[in-house]
Amino acid sequence: MTDDLSSSNEAGSANIRARQPAAVHGLAKIPFASVRDEAPVGMRELYAEVRDGQALIPGLKMGVGALIVQRWDPSYAAAGWTLYGADLTLHMGHPFGALFYRNDADGRVLRVGVKWHPPVQQLEFPALHPSKPERSSDCSDEEANAVILDARSRIGALVATNAQIGSFVATEESEDAILEASGLGLERLAEDDPRLARDA
């Protein structure tokens, strides 16, 4: 992010103003009302770099700072396996990394990868060797499927919680920007809009 700088030198100020249109090319202006903390003293404008394929979501707020969310459902836990480690991050909103499970009876370890697969637009959960970049051969298909379902349920809870928080802090302005960035920038209709009854 960058701010519009001022200068006491008249010529320098003119140069800054002359460069400003080029400087903000490819940038999006952020209203100070969208800044959670108080803007720094002397800052007049705030911009964020927006690259191709990205969108700026303005108007986020914190509300009361607390939210009730749905906890992970332990009924999806893989019987006989214990989650003992995780290496996860969010890459552009998509979970990425791995979950590590240990068999309670014999100590076998199964690593479940978590990655977004763009060609089919879905999360994938391959059952992998604990330390090698290859499929696991140390467990049956039935065991692997049970552990993968366990991993899916946990990641599903993570994604749902993040989405719920995003919805909670969003204003109508930012909701519109989120929908537009998601390819869902359709016209909003009121509940009593006659077109809804016609299309029902």
Side-chain angles (χ1 to χ4, degrees), residues 4 24 27 29 41 47 56 60 67 81 90 105 116-117 126 136 143 155 164 167 179 181-182 193 195-196:
D4 181 26
V24 299
L27 302 179
K29 187 174 181 179
V41 176
Y47 295 89
L56 179 72
L60 298 177
L67 177 67
W81 293 82
L90 287 176
W116 180 255
H117 192 47
S136 172
E143 288 177 314
I155 297 301
Q164 190 172 351
S167 178
L179 292 171
S182 304
D193 192 295
R195 287 173 291 179
L196 292 176

Side-chain angles (χ1 to χ4, degrees), residues 11-199:
S13 298
N15 289 335
I16 290 174
R17 287 195 297 271
R19 289 198 305 266
Q20 188 175 2
V24 299
H25 180 69
L27 302 179
K29 187 174 181 179
I30 302 175
F32 283 148
S34 296
V35 179
R36 292 180 182 176
D37 300 321
E38 187 174 326
V41 176
M43 180 179 287
R44 302 211 314 262
E45 293 181 340
L46 182 64
Y47 295 89
E49 181 181 5
V50 181
R51 301 177 182 176
D52 289 343
Q54 296 181 334
L56 179 72
I57 308 298
L60 298 177
K61 58 181 176 61
M62 287 304 296
V64 297
L67 177 67
I68 302 296
V69 301
Q70 186 68 40
R71 293 183 63 88
W72 169 69
D73 184 352
S75 68
Y76 290 102
W81 293 82
T82 299
L83 175 72
Y84 76 91
D87 180 11
L88 289 171
T89 187
L90 287 176
H91 178 64
M92 297 299 291
H94 299 303
F96 177 80
L99 301 180
F100 297 85
Y101 293 82
R102 181 179 288 114
N103 186 273
D104 299 336
D106 54 28
R108 284 176 297 148
V109 171
L110 181 61
R111 176 168 60 103
V112 178
V114 181
K115 63 177 183 178
W116 180 255
H117 192 47
V120 293
Q121 290 293 293
Q122 68 180 20
L123 279 172
E124 292 190 343
F125 298 83
L128 303 170
H129 186 278
S131 58
K132 299 178 182 178
E134 60 187 42
R135 296 278 179 170
S136 172
S137 59
D138 199 26
C139 61
S140 67
D141 289 344
E142 183 179 356
E143 288 177 314
N145 289 338
V147 175
I148 288 172
L149 179 60
D150 180 307
R152 284 184 179 275
S153 67
R154 295 175 194 266
I155 297 301
L158 173 66
V159 171
T161 298
N162 274 289
Q164 190 172 351
I165 292 172
S167 178
F168 179 68
V169 302
T171 61
E172 184 173 346
E173 177 189 17
S174 54
E175 283 181 353
D176 288 342
I178 291 169
L179 292 171
E180 180 66 30
S182 304
L184 297 169
L186 304 173
E187 179 187 0
R188 287 177 179 260
L189 299 180
E191 293 184 1
D192 58 353
D193 192 295
R195 287 173 291 179
L196 292 176
R198 185 174 65 248
D199 296 337

